[in-house]
Amino acid sequence: MTGFDQLRLEGVSRRFGTADALSGLDLTIERGEFIALLGPSGCGKSTALNCLAGLLPLTAGAIWQDDQRIDTLPPEKRGFGMVFQNYALFPHLTVRDNIAFGLRMRHLPKDDVRRRTTEAIETVQLTEHASKLPGQLSGGQQQRVAIARATVLEPSLVLMDEPLSNLDAKLRLEMRTEIRRLHQSLGLTTVYVTHDQEEALSMADRLVVMRQGKVQQIGTPEEVHTKPSTWHVADFMGYRNLLPLKASQMNGDQVTVDLGGTAIRGSAQGAVAPGDDVIAAVRPEDVKLADQGVKGLIEVVEYQGRERAVEVVLDDDVRLHVRTERRVEAGEQVALTVTPGRLLVYPS
Amino acid sequence: MSAIWQHRLAERGVDRRLWLLLPATIFVLLLFIYPFLYGLSLSFQPMQGGGVLANYDKFFSDAYQRDTIATTLKIALPAALLNVLAAVPIAFRLRGRFRGKRLLTTILVVPITLGTVLTAQGLLNYLGPTGWLNRVLLSLHIVDNPIRLTNNYWGVFFSLVITGFPFAFLLVLSYLSGIDPTLERAAATLGASRAQRFRRITLPLLAPGLATTFLLTFVLAFSVFPSAVLVGNPAGSTRVISLAAYQAAYEQYDYSYASAIAMVMGAVELVVVAIVLLWRSRLYTGSTGGKG
Ligand SMILES: Nc1ncnc2c1ncn2[C@@H]1O[C@H](COP(=O)(O)OP(=O)(O)OP(=O)(O)O)[C@@H](O)[C@H]1O
Ligand SMILES: [Mg+2]
C-alpha cells in the first residue's frame, strides 16, 4: 500500500434515523501520527472509526487522502488495517492463517506470505501458538493476533477500536507499551479509540475528545490535560471537582470565585463576566489540606495505597474531592487550599 | 459417590445433570429403537421360508426391485442439493434487517403448511398437460405439444423442491445469522472482495450447517411417497423404494419382505448420512462468534 502524507476529514457525519451519531468531524491526520479518539460511551467513537474504515457510509462530509477522495471507496479498496473491539478473528483459521489472510488476498508470492507472516508472529511473540485456533487462545493472545493481522499488511492507517478494553489491568499496561512500540517500529499512522483518559494521554501524540457526536477539543495530551476547552472535557479528563459557583471579580483572565466563604483565584476559560454563574474545575490532587484556608468537614476517607481520597463538605454544602498523604479520619475539621493556577473557571 | 470419582467423570463431561436426558432416552427407545429392532428381526423371518437372508436375496436379485434404490437416489440427492444451494443465496440476501422481511420470509415458508397432497394438486394445475403453463406456452406458439412436467420424474422433483425448500431455507437462515457479521467486515478491511469474503469466511463457517441441512432435506426426500404416486409415474421412472415397501406390505401382505425393504432403505440413507457426516467432521464446527 502506498502511504499518504495527510488524511483530511471534512465535516464527516453519520446519522442513524434522526439521531446524529457523529456530526461534522473535522480532522487532519499527518503521516506517522498516533491519534486517540476519546470520549464517554456512546459519543460516536466507533462510528467515526467505522466511517474511516469504510464500514459505514457517511451521511455527510468527505474524506480526502492527499488529493484523492476516498469516502466512496469500499473498505477493501482503502487498505486501512482495523483492530476490532471484539477482535473478530476468523474462528476456523489458525493464528498463522489469520495473520496471513490479508497477504493472501493480495495474491503475494507464497514465500513472501510465509516470511512476512512469520515475522509478524515473532513480533507479537506468538511463535509457539502459531498453529492454534483463536478459540484456544487467551484474551491477550487473541488481541495480539488481531494487531498482527491488521499490521502485517503495513497499512497506511491502522484503526483500533478499544483493543484493550477486555484485558486485565496489568496486561493492559503491557499491551499499551507494545502497541506504542509497534507504532514506532513499523512507522504506522494510528487512530486509536478509547474511553480511558489515562490510556489516551500516555499513548497518543494528539487527542480528539468527543461528546455526543461532536468534537470538543483537539490537542496534545498536555493541552487537553491542563487546559480542557469546556467543563465537559474537564470532567472527562479527571477534574472531579466541578463546582457551580459565582464569579465575583475579573482581572485579565483571572477570576475570583467564592468558595465556602473564601475568595479563590482561578483562570477563566472562555467568556466569563463578574456576577456570572460559572463552573469551577479542579483536580483532587490540586486541592491540599493546609493549616488555614477554606474550612470543611471530612465525610468519607478511602485508602488508596500511598494516598487517601477524601471527600470534604464545606460550610455551604459544596463537596470537594481531595487527595492527601496525611492520615485523616472522617469527622475531622480541616482547612483546604487550591494550588495556584490550577482552578479553571468555565462559563456554565 | 466419592468426590474423586465425580471429578473423574466431570473431566469426561459426565455429571448428574445427565439424568435429565432419561425421559428423552426412554421416548426414543420406545418409539424408534423398539420398532426398528422388531422390523429388523421380522425381516430375517421370511414368509416363504428359505434362509435368514432370503428376503434380502429376493430384493437384490430382482432388478425391478433393486433399481428402486437408484431411482430414489436419483430423485432425492439432486432435490436435496438444489434445496440447499437455492437456500444459500436467498438466506444470504435476507439475513440483514429490512422492511418487509417478515412478509417475504412468511411467503417462502408457507409451502411447509401445504402438505404434499395440496402441493401435488397445485402442481397438476400449473404444470399438468392442460395446466396454466402449457396453455400459455401453446397459445403463444412457443411449443406445439404440451411439455410433460407431471406424472414423471420432474413432477416428483418439483414437489420435493417445493416442500423441502422452506426447511432448507429456515435452517440455512438460522445458521447464517449465527455467524458474527464483524468477521466479514474484518475480512473486508484486510482487502477481501465480496466473493473472497463469501468463499473464505462465510462459506467455511456455514458448511457444517449446510451439511446438516442437506441431510435433513435428503432424508425427507428419500422417503418420498405421496408425490411419487400423485405427480410421478409410480409404475416406471418414479418407482421409489418406499413404494416397493408399500406394495410388499399392503398389496402382497408380505410384512417380512416389506420390513426387509425398509431395512435396505434405512441402510442406504445411513450410508449417505455417514458420508456427509464424515466430510462434515473435517470442517471447523466450533463457535462462530467472538469471544467476550
Ligand atoms: N446501527 C446503529 N443504529 C442506530 N444507532 C446506532 C447504531 N450504531 C450506533 N448507534 C448510535 O450512535 C451513537 C454512537 O455510537 P458508537 O458506537 O459510535 O459509540 P462509542 O463512542 O463507540 O461508544 P462505546 O465507547 O460504548 O463503544 C450511540 O448513541 C448509538 O446508540
Ligand atoms: Mg465503541
Side-chain angles (χ1 to χ4, degrees):
Chain A
M1 278 294 120
T2 52
F4 56 79
D5 291 324
Q6 231 181 32
L7 195 73
R8 284 198 321 283
L9 284 74
E10 289 174 355
V12 170
S13 309
R14 171 72 210 194
R15 306 181 74 116
F16 290 108
T18 54
D20 278 316
L22 182 68
S23 53
L25 171 61
D26 294 310
L27 177 68
T28 304
I29 302 167
E30 304 287 343
R31 178 186 201 137
E33 254 191 318
F34 196 118
I35 290 190
L37 285 186
L38 183 66
S41 185
C43 72
K45 307 180 296 287
S46 297
T47 307
L49 215 58
N50 285 324
C51 287
L52 255 175
L55 297 169
L56 259 184
L58 309 187
T59 42
I63 304 175
W64 296 85
Q65 178 173 312
D66 295 329
D67 46 14
Q68 188 199 358
R69 185 168 174 174
I70 61 162
D71 57 276
T72 47
L73 291 180
E76 62 267 28
K77 296 261 168 60
R78 297 196 192 186
F80 296 164
M82 179 138 172
V83 179
F84 289 80
Q85 186 159 3
N86 66 353
Y87 311 144
L89 299 179
F90 307 129
H92 59 300
L93 299 180
T94 60
V95 168
R96 171 171 283 280
D97 289 338
N98 260 283
I99 295 175
F101 187 87
L103 298 168
R104 295 213 171 108
M105 291 303 111
R106 280 176 178 59
H107 301 293
L108 295 181
K110 273 218 171 81
D111 287 341
D112 267 14
V113 173
R114 192 168 322 122
R115 185 179 48 78
R116 287 174 68 175
T117 310
T118 308
E119 274 173 22
I121 293 174
E122 276 165 13
T123 314
V124 294
Q125 297 162 21
L126 285 172
T127 310
E128 66 256 53
H129 304 290
S131 47
K132 284 190 186 170
L133 291 176
Q136 300 165 311
L137 300 179
S138 74
Q141 289 163 344
Q142 292 188 32
Q143 197 244 350
R144 302 213 290 266
V145 178
I147 292 176
R149 185 178 70 175
T151 53
V152 70
L153 298 166
E154 291 169 18
S156 52
L157 181 68
V158 181
L159 307 163
M160 300 195 185
D161 194 353
E162 304 197 37
L164 305 185
S165 57
N166 292 337
L167 306 184
D168 66 64
K170 184 170 170 293
L171 198 54
R172 200 148 61 206
L173 282 179
E174 283 172 25
M175 290 311 299
R176 237 193 238 177
T177 327
E178 185 74 22
I179 290 175
R180 184 66 220 198
R181 197 176 58 73
L182 268 174
H183 168 83
Q184 259 145 0
S185 64
L186 299 179
L188 302 171
T189 309
T190 308
V191 176
Y192 185 100
V193 162
T194 178
H195 59 247
D196 181 341
Q197 48 121 346
E198 220 185 291
E199 205 170 285
L201 288 172
S202 67
M203 296 172 85
D205 301 322
R206 266 199 307 158
L207 305 189
V208 178
V209 187
M210 297 177 49
R211 180 172 169 268
Q212 292 178 350
K214 294 195 184 67
V215 171
Q216 299 282 304
Q217 187 172 10
I218 300 181
T220 64
E222 201 179 342
E223 281 166 7
V224 177
H225 188 75
T226 55
K227 287 236 175 301
S229 63
T230 67
W231 67 266
H232 291 294
V233 179
D235 183 19
F236 200 72
M237 296 309 297
Y239 288 74
R240 267 194 89 188
N241 296 307
L242 293 172
L243 314 167
L245 300 175
K246 247 188 179 31
S248 53
Q249 266 182 26
M250 293 284 299
N251 180 9
D253 67 347
Q254 294 293 303
V255 200
T256 308
V257 291
D258 178 68
L259 181 61
T262 310
I264 296 202
R265 291 226 297 204
S267 58
Q269 311 287 314
V272 179
D276 277 2
D277 283 329
V278 294
I279 291 186
V282 65
R283 294 172 184 280
E285 50 269 39
D286 290 328
V287 186
K288 295 269 181 314
L289 296 189
D291 298 330
Q292 52 182 343
V294 187
K295 296 267 180 307
L297 182 74
I298 294 186
E299 202 170 66
V300 185
V301 179
E302 278 174 36
Y303 178 65
Q304 293 190 331
R306 216 163 61 81
E307 288 180 324
R308 275 156 226 267
V310 181
E311 201 177 317
V312 180
V313 189
L314 306 186
D315 293 343
D316 52 2
D317 265 358
V318 173
R319 269 156 214 281
L320 268 175
H321 298 277
V322 183
R323 286 175 158 270
T324 177
E325 292 181 23
R326 222 156 88 184
R327 277 173 172 249
V328 286
E329 273 171 39
E332 237 177 272
Q333 279 286 347
V334 289
L336 306 169
T337 57
V338 175
T339 313
R342 294 295 168 81
L343 185 82
L344 307 179
V345 181
Y346 295 93
S348 69
Chain B
M1 207 187 270
S2 82
I4 292 175
W5 183 235
Q6 252 183 39
H7 290 170
R8 221 171 265 158
L9 287 176
E11 255 171 44
R12 298 192 165 78
V14 179
D15 67 31
R16 244 178 260 177
R17 271 170 301 174
L18 285 182
W19 285 115
L20 295 175
L21 285 177
L22 195 65
T25 314
I26 291 174
F27 191 76
V28 168
L29 279 174
L30 284 179
L31 263 82
F32 182 73
I33 307 287
Y34 171 72
F36 172 77
L37 291 178
Y38 178 77
L40 188 66
S41 76
L42 196 63
S43 75
F44 291 128
Q45 301 158 25
M47 280 207 328
Q48 286 88 10
V52 177
L53 292 176
N55 277 330
Y56 293 93
D57 207 27
K58 185 168 151 194
F59 181 83
F60 283 106
S61 58
D62 181 353
Y64 185 58
Q65 295 288 63
R66 196 175 58 217
D67 288 349
T68 57
I69 296 178
T71 305
T72 318
L73 284 177
K74 240 191 299 189
I75 297 174
L77 285 175
L81 202 62
L82 180 72
N83 281 337
V84 175
L85 292 186
V88 173
I90 297 176
F92 203 73
R93 280 290 149 82
L94 296 191
R95 90 185 138 152
R97 263 195 291 161
F98 60 88
R99 199 173 293 204
K101 173 173 176 168
R102 202 179 292 180
L103 180 71
L104 202 59
T105 315
T106 313
I107 291 173
L108 285 170
V109 169
V110 155
I112 286 185
T113 60
L114 289 182
T116 5
V117 177
L118 215 57
T119 308
Q121 173 89 31
L123 272 175
L124 289 172
N125 271 336
Y126 279 108
L127 304 180
T130 56
W132 296 0
L133 179 73
N134 271 314
R135 270 188 279 163
V136 169
L137 290 180
L138 284 173
S139 63
L140 292 177
H141 300 289
I142 295 172
V143 294
D144 296 330
N145 293 306
I147 48 170
R148 281 191 41 125
L149 291 172
T150 55
N151 299 102
N152 60 7
Y153 176 85
W154 292 110
V156 184
F157 186 79
F158 288 136
S159 158
L160 287 179
V161 169
I162 290 170
T163 47
F165 174 78
F167 279 110
F169 167 71
L170 283 182
L171 277 168
V172 172
L173 188 64
S174 75
Y175 281 119
L176 206 53
S177 43
I179 298 176
D180 182 357
T182 48
L183 295 179
E184 262 186 84
R185 312 215 275 150
T189 62
L190 292 166
S193 65
R194 192 181 285 267
Q196 285 173 318
R197 297 199 290 266
F198 181 73
R199 165 138 170 53
R200 304 276 163 202
I201 306 299
T202 313
L203 196 56
L205 292 174
L206 192 59
L210 293 185
T212 310
T213 309
F214 173 82
L215 283 183
L216 285 174
T217 46
F218 167 75
V219 169
L220 276 180
F222 194 79
S223 51
V224 55
F225 181 75
S227 55
V229 177
L230 295 171
V231 283
N233 172 14
S237 63
T238 72
R239 187 164 182 274
V240 293
I241 191 163
S242 54
L243 206 62
Y246 172 83
Q247 283 167 346
Y250 298 109
E251 286 172 17
Q252 296 153 18
Y253 298 106
D254 188 343
Y255 290 117
S256 167
Y257 186 41
S259 294
I261 298 177
M263 289 302 139
V264 171
M265 191 170 156
V268 173
E269 277 181 291
L270 218 58
V271 168
V272 174
V273 170
I275 291 172
V276 175
L277 285 185
L278 212 64
W279 172 70
R280 184 183 183 274
S281 71
R282 296 174 40 194
L283 303 173
Y284 171 83
T285 51
S287 139
T288 48
K291 197 182 193 180

